[in-house]
Amino acid sequence: TASARRITAVLPCFPYARQDKKDKSRAPISAKLVANMLTVAGADHVITMDLHASQIQGFFDCPVDNLYGEPSVLRYIRENVPEWKNAIIVSPDAGGAKRATSIADHLDLDFALIHKERKKANEVSRMVLVGDVKDKVAILVDDMADTCGTLGLAAKTLMDNGASAVYAIVIHGVLSGKALDVINNSMLTRVVVTNTIPHAEKKKHCPKLDTIDVSAVLAEAIRRTHNGESVS
C-alpha cells in the first residue's frame, strides 16, 4: 500500500530455522510457513545469516542471500584465542561436522567430533568424543546455542579427555532458559556469539560471554543489494 518498488527483508537470524523437516509424524515445517508469510507480505528479496540448513533457501520463491559468519569467526580465533596454533576445532554434533572441518582447513588445524545421543528435543543423555584433544585448546563451533546444555556437556567431555581450555564459538546465541547459569557453571573458558540476536543484557549476568560484531557484513550486503551489485 505504500507503493515501494522493492522490499528486502533482512533477518540476521531466521526464525523457526530448526523446524525445517518432519522429524516425527504430524510435526509442522514452520520454516516453510515463515517463508510463505514473508513472501505473501510482499518481500522480493531476503537477506539472512547462517541458515540452520541451507535448503531453507528453497522454501522461498524469491532470491535469498544466505550470508556466512565463518570469516568473522576465523578472524576472532586468530586475534583473540591465545595459542590458537595449538588448538583443535571440535563439532558438538555430527550435523555441524561440515562447518567445523571448513574452519579447521582454513586455520590448518586438526578436527574432532562429539557424538551425542538425545533423550528429548533439548536434553542430551551421553557424549562420545572422536579425536584426540589432549593438551590442546579445544574450540567448539556450532551455528546455534539455545539452552547451552550441549555446550556445557561437550566442554566437560573435552576437559575429561585432557583439553587445556575450551572455547565455544556460536553464530546465533539464543541463550534461552537457564543458558547463562549453564555457561557460568560450566568448564567453558569463553562463549563467543555474534550479535544476530541482541544479548547486551545477558552479558551483564555472564562474564564468559563475548561478542563478534557482524553488522558490517549485513550492512555491506544491504548496500550491494540496493546498488544492484553482486553479493557473492
Side-chain angles (χ1 to χ4, degrees), residues 149-225:
T150 301
L151 292 181
L153 267 172
K156 186 179 183 308
T157 306
L158 290 164
M159 293 301 271
D160 290 348
N161 281 275
S164 58
V166 182
Y167 288 79
I169 301 181
V170 181
I171 302 298
H172 305 298
V174 181
L175 307 177
S176 64
K178 295 179 180 174
L180 300 183
D181 293 335
V182 172
I183 293 169
N184 285 330
N185 299 327
S186 72
M187 294 181 175
L188 289 157
T189 306
R190 193 175 299 161
V191 176
V192 187
V193 295
T194 69
N195 54 352
T196 53
I197 300 171
H199 56 269
E201 276 299 310
K202 288 170 181 166
K203 278 183 91 166
K204 294 175 187 171
H205 305 289
C206 185
K208 290 184 180 181
L209 263 187
D210 204 1
T211 310
I212 296 174
D213 185 17
V214 291
S215 56
V217 180
L218 286 156
E220 181 63 11
I222 292 167
R223 188 192 67 77
R224 290 188 186 195
T225 303

Side-chain angles (χ1 to χ4, degrees), residues 28-143:
I29 305 179
S30 308
K32 173 64 176 166
L33 174 65
V34 173
N36 284 347
M37 287 162 71
L38 285 165
T39 310
V40 170
D44 306 304
H45 191 140
V46 175
I47 296 174
T48 185
M49 187 165 230
D50 270 302
L51 285 170
H52 189 65
S54 51
Q55 302 92 297
I56 293 174
Q57 293 172 77
F59 290 170
F60 289 90
D61 296 324
C62 63
V64 178
D65 284 319
N66 182 26
L67 308 176
Y68 296 106
E70 190 178 295
S72 307
V73 169
L74 293 170
R75 194 181 319 118
Y76 182 91
I77 292 171
R78 289 193 180 105
E79 292 174 5
N80 298 288
V81 178
E83 297 181 38
W84 67 267
K85 289 183 179 175
N86 181 39
I88 183 165
I89 306 295
V90 185
S91 172
D93 57 8
K98 196 173 173 185
R99 181 183 301 104
T101 46
S102 172
I103 290 172
D105 289 346
H106 278 105
L107 295 169
D108 197 21
L109 297 173
D110 287 338
F111 159 74
L113 177 79
I114 289 175
H115 170 66
K116 64 182 176 185
E117 293 168 3
R118 285 186 185 273
K119 282 181 188 168
K120 298 203 293 272
N122 280 5
E123 277 186 34
V124 181
S125 52
R126 76 186 191 101
M127 290 191 155
V128 183
L129 176 67
V130 182
D132 181 27
V133 297
K134 193 166 173 58
D135 300 326
K136 289 183 179 176
V137 176
I139 302 173
L140 283 161
V141 179
D142 209 353
D143 71 322

